PDB file of all heavy atoms in Angstrom:
ATOM      1  N   LYS B 226       4.016  31.018 -40.891  1.00 92.00           N
ATOM      2  CA  LYS B 226       2.704  30.722 -40.318  1.00 92.00           C
ATOM      3  C   LYS B 226       1.864  29.902 -41.281  1.00 92.00           C
ATOM      4  O   LYS B 226       1.186  28.957 -40.888  1.00 92.00           O
ATOM      5  CB  LYS B 226       1.974  32.026 -39.985  1.00 92.00           C
ATOM      6  CG  LYS B 226       2.559  32.725 -38.796  1.00 92.00           C
ATOM      7  CD  LYS B 226       1.549  33.629 -38.133  1.00 92.00           C
ATOM      8  CE  LYS B 226       2.178  34.310 -36.937  1.00 92.00           C
ATOM      9  NZ  LYS B 226       1.228  34.922 -36.052  1.00 92.00           N
ATOM     10  N   LEU B 227       1.909  30.277 -42.553  1.00 94.00           N
ATOM     11  CA  LEU B 227       1.100  29.561 -43.545  1.00 94.00           C
ATOM     12  C   LEU B 227       1.540  28.107 -43.659  1.00 94.00           C
ATOM     13  O   LEU B 227       0.707  27.202 -43.737  1.00 94.00           O
ATOM     14  CB  LEU B 227       1.220  30.234 -44.915  1.00 94.00           C
ATOM     15  CG  LEU B 227       0.445  31.534 -45.094  1.00 94.00           C
ATOM     16  CD1 LEU B 227       0.779  32.160 -46.431  1.00 94.00           C
ATOM     17  CD2 LEU B 227      -1.052  31.286 -44.994  1.00 94.00           C
ATOM     18  N   LEU B 228       2.860  27.894 -43.674  1.00 91.00           N
ATOM     19  CA  LEU B 228       3.347  26.534 -43.868  1.00 91.00           C
ATOM     20  C   LEU B 228       3.190  25.679 -42.611  1.00 91.00           C
ATOM     21  O   LEU B 228       3.196  24.457 -42.686  1.00 91.00           O
ATOM     22  CB  LEU B 228       4.807  26.538 -44.336  1.00 91.00           C
ATOM     23  CG  LEU B 228       5.029  27.162 -45.715  1.00 91.00           C
ATOM     24  CD1 LEU B 228       6.464  27.006 -46.157  1.00 91.00           C
ATOM     25  CD2 LEU B 228       4.102  26.562 -46.753  1.00 91.00           C
ATOM     26  N   ALA B 229       3.057  26.330 -41.455  1.00 89.00           N
ATOM     27  CA  ALA B 229       2.786  25.556 -40.245  1.00 89.00           C
ATOM     28  C   ALA B 229       1.356  25.031 -40.278  1.00 89.00           C
ATOM     29  O   ALA B 229       1.020  24.070 -39.607  1.00 89.00           O
ATOM     30  CB  ALA B 229       3.022  26.402 -39.004  1.00 89.00           C
ATOM     31  N   GLY B 230       0.506  25.681 -41.074  1.00 87.00           N
ATOM     32  CA  GLY B 230      -0.877  25.237 -41.202  1.00 87.00           C
ATOM     33  C   GLY B 230      -1.769  25.801 -40.116  1.00 87.00           C
ATOM     34  O   GLY B 230      -1.299  26.299 -39.101  1.00 87.00           O
ATOM     35  N   SER B 231      -3.067  25.750 -40.329  1.00 88.00           N
ATOM     36  CA  SER B 231      -4.097  26.282 -39.434  1.00 88.00           C
ATOM     37  C   SER B 231      -3.697  27.599 -38.789  1.00 88.00           C
ATOM     38  O   SER B 231      -3.558  27.692 -37.590  1.00 88.00           O
ATOM     39  CB  SER B 231      -4.501  25.301 -38.337  1.00 88.00           C
ATOM     40  OG  SER B 231      -3.716  24.162 -38.320  1.00 88.00           O
ATOM     41  N   THR B 232      -3.521  28.618 -39.616  1.00 92.00           N
ATOM     42  CA  THR B 232      -3.184  29.934 -39.095  1.00 92.00           C
ATOM     43  C   THR B 232      -4.362  30.556 -38.369  1.00 92.00           C
ATOM     44  O   THR B 232      -4.180  31.438 -37.552  1.00 92.00           O
ATOM     45  CB  THR B 232      -2.835  30.900 -40.240  1.00 92.00           C
ATOM     46  OG1 THR B 232      -3.939  30.908 -41.155  1.00 92.00           O
ATOM     47  CG2 THR B 232      -1.589  30.479 -40.967  1.00 92.00           C
ATOM     48  N   GLY B 233      -5.583  30.134 -38.728  1.00 93.00           N
ATOM     49  CA  GLY B 233      -6.763  30.768 -38.171  1.00 93.00           C
ATOM     50  C   GLY B 233      -7.156  32.010 -38.953  1.00 93.00           C
ATOM     51  O   GLY B 233      -8.219  32.569 -38.726  1.00 93.00           O
ATOM     52  N   TYR B 234      -6.323  32.459 -39.887  1.00 96.00           N
ATOM     53  CA  TYR B 234      -6.654  33.631 -40.686  1.00 96.00           C
ATOM     54  C   TYR B 234      -7.431  33.223 -41.939  1.00 96.00           C
ATOM     55  O   TYR B 234      -7.186  32.154 -42.507  1.00 96.00           O
ATOM     56  CB  TYR B 234      -5.386  34.382 -41.099  1.00 96.00           C
ATOM     57  CG  TYR B 234      -4.673  35.006 -39.925  1.00 96.00           C
ATOM     58  CD1 TYR B 234      -3.451  34.541 -39.496  1.00 96.00           C
ATOM     59  CD2 TYR B 234      -5.272  36.053 -39.229  1.00 96.00           C
ATOM     60  CE1 TYR B 234      -2.809  35.103 -38.403  1.00 96.00           C
ATOM     61  CE2 TYR B 234      -4.642  36.629 -38.138  1.00 96.00           C
ATOM     62  CZ  TYR B 234      -3.415  36.138 -37.723  1.00 96.00           C
ATOM     63  OH  TYR B 234      -2.798  36.699 -36.637  1.00 96.00           O
ATOM     64  N   ASP B 235      -8.332  34.083 -42.358  1.00 96.00           N
ATOM     65  CA  ASP B 235      -9.078  33.833 -43.592  1.00 96.00           C
ATOM     66  C   ASP B 235      -8.370  34.469 -44.776  1.00 96.00           C
ATOM     67  O   ASP B 235      -8.244  33.876 -45.831  1.00 96.00           O
ATOM     68  CB  ASP B 235     -10.492  34.412 -43.472  1.00 96.00           C
ATOM     69  CG  ASP B 235     -11.291  33.743 -42.375  1.00 96.00           C
ATOM     70  OD1 ASP B 235     -11.647  32.577 -42.559  1.00 96.00           O
ATOM     71  OD2 ASP B 235     -11.542  34.385 -41.331  1.00 96.00           O
ATOM     72  N   VAL B 236      -7.948  35.739 -44.581  1.00 97.00           N
ATOM     73  CA  VAL B 236      -7.335  36.477 -45.677  1.00 97.00           C
ATOM     74  C   VAL B 236      -5.911  36.855 -45.282  1.00 97.00           C
ATOM     75  O   VAL B 236      -5.688  37.367 -44.179  1.00 97.00           O
ATOM     76  CB  VAL B 236      -8.137  37.765 -45.990  1.00 97.00           C
ATOM     77  CG1 VAL B 236      -7.457  38.567 -47.087  1.00 97.00           C
ATOM     78  CG2 VAL B 236      -9.563  37.421 -46.383  1.00 97.00           C
ATOM     79  N   VAL B 237      -4.946  36.594 -46.169  1.00 97.00           N
ATOM     80  CA  VAL B 237      -3.565  36.994 -45.922  1.00 97.00           C
ATOM     81  C   VAL B 237      -3.052  37.735 -47.156  1.00 97.00           C
ATOM     82  O   VAL B 237      -3.643  37.647 -48.226  1.00 97.00           O
ATOM     83  CB  VAL B 237      -2.648  35.788 -45.614  1.00 97.00           C
ATOM     84  CG1 VAL B 237      -3.062  35.112 -44.329  1.00 97.00           C
ATOM     85  CG2 VAL B 237      -2.668  34.806 -46.768  1.00 97.00           C
TER      86      VAL B 237
END
Side-chain angles (χ1 to χ4, degrees):
Chain B
K226 288 204 180 195
L227 284 174
L228 295 186
S231 6
T232 55
Y234 293 111
D235 297 290
V236 177
V237 296

